[in-house]
Amino acid sequence: MTKKTAVVAMAGIMAAGMLTGCGEKKLDGSKTVATVDGTEIPLGVVSLSVRDGQMQTEAMYRSYMGGSDFDIWDTEAEKGKTYGEQLVEQALEDVELMYIMKEKAADYDVELTDDDEKAIEEAAASFMEANSDEAIADLAVTEDQVKTFLELETYKQRIHDPIIADVDKDVSDEEAQQSSFEYVSVSTADLSDDEIKEKKEDAQKILDGLKADPDGDFSEIAKSVDDSYSSLSGTFDANETSEDEDTDDEDADEDSSSYSGTYPEEVIDVLRTLDDGEVASDIIETDTAYYVVKLDKKDDEEATETKKESIISTREQTLYTDTTEKWLDDADIKEEKKVLKTLKVTDNHKYVAPTATPAPTEEAAETEEVTETPEVTEAADTTTTPEATEAPSYSTDTSLTVKDGDTVNIDYVGKIDGTAFDGGSTNGQGTDLEIGSGSYIDDFEDQLVGAHPGDEVEVTVTFPDNYDAADLAGKEAVFDVTVNGIYE
């Protein structure tokens, strides 16, 4: 979306044919759903925000699970609320904050130019023209409300960088220092005692082979024991006093779960005793696996630089969140709950994503770039259900290795703090994924590189703080992934 204004991109989010078959009582978008410091918010503006959020979330589900039908919005989330009700409440808060941001914009020297306003006006008109009368009625919006929504979104994008401009970007090498290592994980989950014994023997054979040839190919050594084994790479905080692992001994004794690192504490404890290129002398045993590990670099400069960027990003997000939450706390906000309850998100709402994002007019393309809008229109690429085939066309040859650019078929179960979460599983149905496509969050795809058909890979990711599913945002998740096959 570079060199296009945010408002032109936003117009393409909800294109023709967006709504079909709602069959519910029509909304009154003119009703006031809240006031912020005396400014009234019409329901139509919140309705736009809700439907935008719904499309983004369903696009996320499609990217994980494939297909097009999801029974998620009527599902109870927490405290007796459905995911649909949560989405509506979150959208209202988002809109309230955007109204505050508009008022605060002048404090950060943020303003909209005449060209911006013209682009907003054209985008709103295009939106109204692109959508059917039925869609507009179901959304309960007027053209002026669309312009308001686009204006608010533009202020939101513009004010972000000024808010975080003063964040401390000084990160010491000691604070960010990362160590890199290789490891083989032999899972013992849900196995009998005899099977666990066999797995331990396999792990010992891998360790013995690695000790005999410390500079050898770790994966090949593992495969010499069993083709299902392969090595993986990882990094961890080299210093125990780092921001995300600093816990005192007393707390650790009281609650062993206080350790929040990506890898098991037993593994990290051993790795911190090793030197570059050194192999751990013994198998490391955890509740669910045996580990054989080798430290590559105690001071991995590239990983350390990446960690520095991550620390700065976290500081920026913290400053942004603290600032905007204080604005919400300090504002005089009055909400009309009865009006808000008329806005519903259920599994009866069906959406058709835009077939293409409208190109900007010559005038809009020539204006200054307002901002780069996040790619929320990716649903356009994920709504087509793959054609059914009688049998999978992927190869299950265990000699094949997953590499960047491959398309693989996988199954997975995602867990947070050891508990599976809704929508985080393929339920054994299998789904296709192109490695390197960026379809999945974080470095999910990268962690599958080097695996083979039949391998079970433990993938650890962290959902972004601004993730659409509020119950997952900012949380670390572990996915047990099975590589079913590789398309040749």
Side-chain angles (χ1 to χ4, degrees):
M1 301 307 299
T2 55
K3 301 304 176 186
K4 296 182 182 180
T5 65
V7 293
V8 172
M10 190 63 66
I13 291 174
M14 298 174 246
M18 173 183 160
L19 284 163
T20 60
C22 289
E24 295 187 4
K25 184 178 179 180
K26 301 304 181 185
L27 293 174
D28 184 350
S30 66
K31 286 189 174 181
T32 298
V33 69
T35 58
V36 177
D37 294 330
T39 301
E40 296 182 349
I41 300 177
L43 185 62
V45 173
V46 180
S47 175
L48 277 172
S49 181
V50 166
R51 301 313 174 194
D52 179 26
Q54 183 175 2
M55 288 189 68
Q56 290 187 52
T57 302
E58 292 192 0
M60 178 269 291
Y61 270 79
R62 276 188 287 272
S63 72
Y64 272 112
M65 302 169 64
S68 58
D69 294 324
F70 308 99
D71 296 327
I72 54 177
W73 301 112
D74 288 329
T75 303
E76 184 173 322
E78 60 180 12
K79 298 179 181 177
K81 293 179 182 177
T82 65
Y83 284 107
E85 290 167 338
Q86 279 191 338
L87 176 62
V88 170
E89 291 181 357
Q90 184 59 55
L92 176 59
E93 182 176 308
D94 291 344
V95 172
E96 290 168 348
L97 178 57
M98 287 194 290
Y99 271 84
I100 296 171
M101 288 176 167
K102 180 181 177 180
E103 294 304 313
K104 298 284 187 182
D107 296 340
Y108 292 88
D109 296 324
V110 171
E111 61 180 13
L112 301 189
T113 66
D114 291 341
D115 286 339
D116 294 333
E117 296 291 358
K118 181 180 179 181
I120 287 171
E121 186 174 341
E122 291 175 348
S126 296
F127 172 84
M128 299 298 287
E129 182 179 350
N131 280 281
S132 67
D133 291 343
E134 179 190 6
I136 296 299
D138 282 325
L139 284 167
V141 293
T142 64
E143 188 167 336
D144 282 342
Q145 288 172 350
V146 176
K147 287 193 288 187
T148 296
F149 179 71
L150 297 177
E151 183 182 76
L152 293 171
E153 282 283 352
T154 306
Y155 275 115
K156 177 182 178 181
Q157 297 290 337
R158 283 273 190 92
I159 203 172
H160 178 272
D161 288 350
I163 290 174
I164 64 174
D166 294 331
V167 77
D168 181 11
K169 293 183 173 61
D170 184 18
V171 181
S172 68
D173 289 340
E174 181 180 5
E175 181 181 3
Q177 185 180 349
Q178 295 290 292
S179 299
S180 56
F181 70 105
E182 288 185 88
Y183 68 99
V184 170
S185 172
V186 180
S187 176
T188 58
D190 302 321
L191 299 181
S192 66
D193 290 344
D194 288 341
E195 290 171 327
I196 291 174
K197 182 179 179 181
E198 291 176 3
K199 294 296 184 182
K200 186 172 184 178
E201 291 172 354
D202 284 352
Q204 188 62 54
K205 290 177 184 177
I206 296 171
L207 177 58
D208 291 343
L210 189 59
K211 284 182 175 180
D213 186 11
D215 296 325
D217 188 303
F218 201 165
S219 274
E220 291 303 316
I221 293 171
K223 287 185 176 306
S224 69
V225 176
D226 191 294
D227 280 341
S228 66
Y229 299 137
S230 62
S231 70
L232 297 171
S233 300
T235 61
F236 63 95
D237 294 314
N239 301 306
E240 294 183 54
T241 56
S242 64
E243 283 186 356
D244 48 357
E245 289 188 13
D246 187 15
T247 58
D248 59 53
D249 292 339
E250 182 179 349
D251 288 342
D253 290 339
E254 289 179 0
D255 182 6
S256 60
S257 66
S258 62
Y259 174 79
S260 60
T262 301
Y263 301 99
E265 184 175 10
E266 301 93 328
V267 172
I268 302 302
D269 285 345
V270 171
L271 284 167
R272 285 191 172 127
T273 68
L274 304 179
D275 292 322
D276 288 5
E278 189 175 357
V279 178
S281 59
D282 299 306
I283 298 167
I284 303 170
E285 182 176 353
T286 70
D287 292 338
T288 58
Y290 292 113
Y291 286 83
V292 179
V293 302
K294 172 186 175 181
L295 187 72
D296 286 336
K297 296 180 180 178
K298 182 172 290 188
D299 185 5
D300 189 310
E301 294 182 358
E302 182 176 349
T304 298
E305 286 304 311
T306 300
K307 181 65 175 182
K308 285 183 178 181
E309 294 173 3
S310 175
I311 290 173
I312 293 171
S313 177
T314 298
R315 290 176 181 175
E316 290 174 341
Q317 183 60 46
T318 299
L319 176 58
Y320 180 84
T321 300
D322 289 348
T323 300
T324 55
E325 284 184 350
K326 187 175 188 306
W327 287 350
L328 283 167
D329 290 340
D330 292 344
D332 180 15
I333 299 175
K334 296 181 176 63
E335 297 178 351
E336 300 295 335
K337 298 296 185 183
K338 289 183 179 180
V339 176
L340 186 64
K341 285 183 178 180
T342 65
L343 180 54
K344 299 181 184 299
V345 179
T346 74
D347 294 326
N348 295 323
H349 287 86
K350 300 299 179 185
Y351 292 81
V352 179
T355 55
T357 300
T361 61
E362 290 184 7
E363 293 84 0
E366 291 171 358
T367 61
E368 290 186 7
E369 180 182 354
V370 176
T371 183
E372 293 183 22
T373 302
E375 286 289 346
V376 297
T377 55
E378 54 188 23
D381 299 322
T382 57
T383 54
T384 302
T385 304
E387 294 182 3
T389 57
E390 293 184 359
S393 58
Y394 53 76
S395 174
T396 57
D397 184 348
T398 57
S399 67
L400 297 176
T401 302
V402 177
K403 60 185 183 298
D404 191 46
D406 282 347
T407 297
V408 297
N409 185 273
I410 60 174
D411 278 299
Y412 53 77
V413 177
K415 299 178 181 179
I416 293 178
D417 295 331
T419 302
F421 57 89
D422 289 340
S425 171
T426 57
N427 296 314
Q429 299 301 306
T431 187
D432 293 341
L433 170 64
E434 180 183 348
I435 304 299
S437 65
S439 301
Y440 287 17
I441 65 169
D442 206 23
D443 58 349
F444 186 107
E445 297 163 28
D446 293 342
Q447 296 179 59
L448 297 180
V449 173
H452 309 272
D455 280 1
E456 295 180 0
V457 183
E458 186 177 277
V459 173
T460 302
V461 297
T462 301
F463 287 96
D465 289 334
N466 60 348
Y467 200 60
D468 294 312
D471 57 323
L472 302 180
K475 293 184 179 179
E476 181 181 274
V478 177
F479 287 84
D480 296 326
V481 182
T482 300
V483 180
N484 297 323
I486 305 173
Y487 289 89
E488 296 185 286

